[in-house]
Amino acid sequence: MATRLVFEQELQELRKSVADMGYQVESNYDRLFAALPASDFGTVEALVKNDRDVNDMERAVEAQCLHLITKQQPIARDLRVVSASLKVVTDIERIGDHVADIAELALRGEYVDLGEISDHLEPMIAETREQMHRAIEAFVSRDASRVREVTEGDDVVDSLFAAVQADVIRFLRRGTGREDACVDVLLIAKYLERIGDHAVNIGEWESFQESGSIDHVRLL
């Protein structure tokens, strides 16, 4: 088989590995926020353990990237794909960490009725989910036109985070004695806000993958 054909095949395998890792983290996110209202703590505990699988997937992608760099000597446009994949799986892994962080938080305390404390947290969960999906889809499908959606979506997530903070302050002023639950809600919101930030990073690496530039600075 011609060298270039082998390389193209290995690039396709790399893209599939990145996609699989992204979709695994999306699935973990969906399972977590379905399990919490149902008090399905068996699933929540399993998701904490599943974080190791995401870490293993990251290491496997890193190995694929290093193989392509050292064995195939890619030209510039291919090297952009490989180096962007190395960066993206780090952000995906960190999203997975935050999903596991929220799961661990749920296991440590009593289930918090999120809507009771903030009616903006559920919309934030939904918007962060969309933000994550937009970014992963943009990178996997190499659709740079969707990166702007990711950037704009981050503003929505940030606004919802500020709204959750305001809700928590109002709830605390009522003197309900639910201080621990309020702290949990703020922590969940902060993890969601960080997931949104990692989605923006993924979008930026899609732009780099196509152009070799980030924030109008040429890197490769």
mmCIF file of all heavy atoms in Angstrom, residues 68-91:
data_model
loop_
_atom_site.group_PDB
_atom_site.id
_atom_site.type_symbol
_atom_site.label_atom_id
_atom_site.label_comp_id
_atom_site.label_asym_id
_atom_site.label_seq_id
_atom_site.Cartn_x
_atom_site.Cartn_y
_atom_site.Cartn_z
ATOM 1 N N LEU A 68 2.220 8.919 14.420
ATOM 2 C CA LEU A 68 2.118 9.629 13.149
ATOM 3 C C LEU A 68 3.237 10.645 12.988
ATOM 4 O O LEU A 68 3.765 10.835 11.889
ATOM 5 C CB LEU A 68 0.755 10.320 13.047
ATOM 6 C CG LEU A 68 -0.433 9.389 12.784
ATOM 7 C CD1 LEU A 68 -1.751 10.113 13.047
ATOM 8 C CD2 LEU A 68 -0.399 8.874 11.356
ATOM 9 N N ILE A 69 3.606 11.314 14.076
ATOM 10 C CA ILE A 69 4.658 12.328 13.996
ATOM 11 C C ILE A 69 6.030 11.695 13.776
ATOM 12 O O ILE A 69 6.818 12.153 12.944
ATOM 13 C CB ILE A 69 4.672 13.191 15.276
ATOM 14 C CG1 ILE A 69 3.405 14.056 15.329
ATOM 15 C CG2 ILE A 69 5.915 14.083 15.325
ATOM 16 C CD1 ILE A 69 3.206 14.770 16.656
ATOM 17 N N THR A 70 6.306 10.618 14.504
ATOM 18 C CA THR A 70 7.658 10.037 14.463
ATOM 19 C C THR A 70 7.868 9.068 13.306
ATOM 20 O O THR A 70 8.989 8.939 12.800
ATOM 21 C CB THR A 70 7.967 9.309 15.782
ATOM 22 O OG1 THR A 70 6.984 8.286 15.997
ATOM 23 C CG2 THR A 70 7.949 10.285 16.942
ATOM 24 N N LYS A 71 6.798 8.399 12.880
ATOM 25 C CA LYS A 71 6.955 7.366 11.856
ATOM 26 C C LYS A 71 6.573 7.839 10.451
ATOM 27 O O LYS A 71 7.121 7.360 9.461
ATOM 28 C CB LYS A 71 6.104 6.140 12.214
ATOM 29 C CG LYS A 71 6.433 5.506 13.557
ATOM 30 C CD LYS A 71 7.842 4.942 13.588
ATOM 31 C CE LYS A 71 8.117 4.235 14.919
ATOM 32 N NZ LYS A 71 9.501 3.701 14.995
ATOM 33 N N GLN A 72 5.646 8.770 10.357
ATOM 34 C CA GLN A 72 5.115 9.142 9.049
ATOM 35 C C GLN A 72 5.625 10.485 8.535
ATOM 36 O O GLN A 72 5.425 10.829 7.384
ATOM 37 C CB GLN A 72 3.580 9.175 9.101
ATOM 38 C CG GLN A 72 2.943 7.854 9.475
ATOM 39 C CD GLN A 72 3.121 6.791 8.394
ATOM 40 O OE1 GLN A 72 3.713 7.050 7.355
ATOM 41 N NE2 GLN A 72 2.610 5.595 8.633
ATOM 42 N N GLN A 73 6.242 11.289 9.413
ATOM 43 C CA GLN A 73 6.779 12.590 9.021
ATOM 44 C C GLN A 73 5.749 13.410 8.224
ATOM 45 O O GLN A 73 5.928 13.684 7.046
ATOM 46 C CB GLN A 73 8.063 12.413 8.205
ATOM 47 C CG GLN A 73 9.169 11.725 8.997
ATOM 48 C CD GLN A 73 10.438 11.523 8.191
ATOM 49 O OE1 GLN A 73 10.396 11.362 6.970
ATOM 50 N NE2 GLN A 73 11.551 11.539 8.883
ATOM 51 N N PRO A 74 4.662 13.798 8.873
ATOM 52 C CA PRO A 74 3.592 14.492 8.158
ATOM 53 C C PRO A 74 4.002 15.873 7.668
ATOM 54 O O PRO A 74 4.826 16.552 8.272
ATOM 55 C CB PRO A 74 2.492 14.615 9.225
ATOM 56 C CG PRO A 74 3.220 14.553 10.525
ATOM 57 C CD PRO A 74 4.366 13.617 10.298
ATOM 58 N N ILE A 75 3.400 16.275 6.534
ATOM 59 C CA ILE A 75 3.609 17.629 6.032
ATOM 60 C C ILE A 75 2.786 18.588 6.883
ATOM 61 O O ILE A 75 1.985 18.172 7.718
ATOM 62 C CB ILE A 75 3.213 17.738 4.542
ATOM 63 C CG1 ILE A 75 1.746 17.328 4.346
ATOM 64 C CG2 ILE A 75 4.131 16.880 3.682
ATOM 65 C CD1 ILE A 75 1.266 17.464 2.906
ATOM 66 N N ALA A 76 2.945 19.890 6.648
ATOM 67 C CA ALA A 76 2.394 20.914 7.560
ATOM 68 C C ALA A 76 0.897 20.755 7.791
ATOM 69 O O ALA A 76 0.430 20.777 8.933
ATOM 70 C CB ALA A 76 2.706 22.311 7.030
ATOM 71 N N ARG A 77 0.104 20.589 6.726
ATOM 72 C CA ARG A 77 -1.352 20.536 6.921
ATOM 73 C C ARG A 77 -1.763 19.301 7.718
ATOM 74 O O ARG A 77 -2.723 19.341 8.487
ATOM 75 C CB ARG A 77 -2.087 20.590 5.583
ATOM 76 C CG ARG A 77 -1.959 19.376 4.710
ATOM 77 C CD ARG A 77 -2.891 19.470 3.494
ATOM 78 N NE ARG A 77 -2.816 18.289 2.660
ATOM 79 C CZ ARG A 77 -1.970 18.136 1.653
ATOM 80 N NH1 ARG A 77 -1.104 19.109 1.356
ATOM 81 N NH2 ARG A 77 -1.970 17.030 0.928
ATOM 82 N N ASP A 78 -1.029 18.199 7.544
ATOM 83 C CA ASP A 78 -1.326 16.991 8.320
ATOM 84 C C ASP A 78 -0.847 17.135 9.759
ATOM 85 O O ASP A 78 -1.488 16.640 10.689
ATOM 86 C CB ASP A 78 -0.664 15.774 7.681
ATOM 87 C CG ASP A 78 -1.181 15.502 6.272
ATOM 88 O OD1 ASP A 78 -2.379 15.739 6.041
ATOM 89 O OD2 ASP A 78 -0.388 15.064 5.423
ATOM 90 N N LEU A 79 0.281 17.822 9.926
ATOM 91 C CA LEU A 79 0.801 18.027 11.271
ATOM 92 C C LEU A 79 -0.157 18.881 12.090
ATOM 93 O O LEU A 79 -0.281 18.687 13.304
ATOM 94 C CB LEU A 79 2.175 18.694 11.204
ATOM 95 C CG LEU A 79 2.950 18.813 12.520
ATOM 96 C CD1 LEU A 79 3.129 17.449 13.176
ATOM 97 C CD2 LEU A 79 4.296 19.480 12.281
ATOM 98 N N ARG A 80 -0.871 19.787 11.423
ATOM 99 C CA ARG A 80 -1.877 20.589 12.131
ATOM 100 C C ARG A 80 -2.977 19.694 12.690
ATOM 101 O O ARG A 80 -3.446 19.898 13.815
ATOM 102 C CB ARG A 80 -2.487 21.646 11.195
ATOM 103 C CG ARG A 80 -1.540 22.753 10.805
ATOM 104 C CD ARG A 80 -2.285 23.977 10.332
ATOM 105 N NE ARG A 80 -3.092 23.758 9.155
ATOM 106 C CZ ARG A 80 -2.673 23.993 7.914
ATOM 107 N NH1 ARG A 80 -1.444 24.444 7.690
ATOM 108 N NH2 ARG A 80 -3.474 23.797 6.887
ATOM 109 N N VAL A 81 -3.406 18.709 11.907
ATOM 110 C CA VAL A 81 -4.445 17.789 12.366
ATOM 111 C C VAL A 81 -3.959 16.990 13.574
ATOM 112 O O VAL A 81 -4.671 16.853 14.575
ATOM 113 C CB VAL A 81 -4.856 16.823 11.234
ATOM 114 C CG1 VAL A 81 -5.831 15.767 11.753
ATOM 115 C CG2 VAL A 81 -5.462 17.588 10.069
ATOM 116 N N VAL A 82 -2.738 16.495 13.484
ATOM 117 C CA VAL A 82 -2.200 15.657 14.555
ATOM 118 C C VAL A 82 -1.994 16.474 15.828
ATOM 119 O O VAL A 82 -2.396 16.060 16.924
ATOM 120 C CB VAL A 82 -0.879 15.001 14.115
ATOM 121 C CG1 VAL A 82 -0.266 14.201 15.266
ATOM 122 C CG2 VAL A 82 -1.104 14.096 12.905
ATOM 123 N N SER A 83 -1.373 17.642 15.702
ATOM 124 C CA SER A 83 -1.098 18.452 16.889
ATOM 125 C C SER A 83 -2.389 18.995 17.499
ATOM 126 O O SER A 83 -2.522 19.068 18.733
ATOM 127 C CB SER A 83 -0.134 19.591 16.557
ATOM 128 O OG SER A 83 -0.612 20.370 15.484
ATOM 129 N N ALA A 84 -3.370 19.349 16.658
ATOM 130 C CA ALA A 84 -4.664 19.797 17.182
ATOM 131 C C ALA A 84 -5.361 18.663 17.933
ATOM 132 O O ALA A 84 -5.975 18.882 18.984
ATOM 133 C CB ALA A 84 -5.552 20.305 16.053
ATOM 134 N N SER A 85 -5.254 17.440 17.429
ATOM 135 C CA SER A 85 -5.859 16.286 18.101
ATOM 136 C C SER A 85 -5.237 16.073 19.475
ATOM 137 O O SER A 85 -5.939 15.762 20.456
ATOM 138 C CB SER A 85 -5.696 15.028 17.252
ATOM 139 O OG SER A 85 -6.382 15.163 16.019
ATOM 140 N N LEU A 86 -3.920 16.254 19.566
ATOM 141 C CA LEU A 86 -3.244 16.134 20.854
ATOM 142 C C LEU A 86 -3.798 17.129 21.867
ATOM 143 O O LEU A 86 -3.992 16.810 23.047
ATOM 144 C CB LEU A 86 -1.737 16.380 20.674
ATOM 145 C CG LEU A 86 -0.845 15.192 20.350
ATOM 146 C CD1 LEU A 86 0.564 15.672 20.027
ATOM 147 C CD2 LEU A 86 -0.819 14.197 21.502
ATOM 148 N N LYS A 87 -4.042 18.351 21.411
ATOM 149 C CA LYS A 87 -4.565 19.392 22.294
ATOM 150 C C LYS A 87 -6.026 19.137 22.659
ATOM 151 O O LYS A 87 -6.447 19.307 23.811
ATOM 152 C CB LYS A 87 -4.428 20.762 21.630
ATOM 153 C CG LYS A 87 -2.999 21.227 21.450
ATOM 154 C CD LYS A 87 -2.356 21.540 22.798
ATOM 155 C CE LYS A 87 -1.007 22.195 22.637
ATOM 156 N NZ LYS A 87 -0.397 22.550 23.944
ATOM 157 N N VAL A 88 -6.814 18.736 21.671
ATOM 158 C CA VAL A 88 -8.252 18.564 21.884
ATOM 159 C C VAL A 88 -8.544 17.458 22.893
ATOM 160 O O VAL A 88 -9.432 17.605 23.740
ATOM 161 C CB VAL A 88 -8.965 18.298 20.545
ATOM 162 C CG1 VAL A 88 -10.342 17.686 20.764
ATOM 163 C CG2 VAL A 88 -9.107 19.596 19.771
ATOM 164 N N VAL A 89 -7.807 16.361 22.820
ATOM 165 C CA VAL A 89 -8.105 15.275 23.761
ATOM 166 C C VAL A 89 -7.791 15.674 25.197
ATOM 167 O O VAL A 89 -8.391 15.143 26.142
ATOM 168 C CB VAL A 89 -7.388 13.952 23.394
ATOM 169 C CG1 VAL A 89 -7.931 13.404 22.090
ATOM 170 C CG2 VAL A 89 -5.876 14.108 23.351
ATOM 171 N N THR A 90 -6.882 16.630 25.379
ATOM 172 C CA THR A 90 -6.640 17.150 26.723
ATOM 173 C C THR A 90 -7.875 17.879 27.234
ATOM 174 O O THR A 90 -8.297 17.692 28.388
ATOM 175 C CB THR A 90 -5.427 18.094 26.727
ATOM 176 O OG1 THR A 90 -4.260 17.374 26.336
ATOM 177 C CG2 THR A 90 -5.197 18.683 28.117
ATOM 178 N N ASP A 91 -8.488 18.695 26.378
ATOM 179 C CA ASP A 91 -9.710 19.400 26.786
ATOM 180 C C ASP A 91 -10.865 18.434 27.004
ATOM 181 O O ASP A 91 -11.646 18.599 27.956
ATOM 182 C CB ASP A 91 -10.083 20.450 25.729
ATOM 183 C CG ASP A 91 -9.228 21.704 25.847
ATOM 184 O OD1 ASP A 91 -9.318 22.384 26.881
ATOM 185 O OD2 ASP A 91 -8.465 21.996 24.915
#
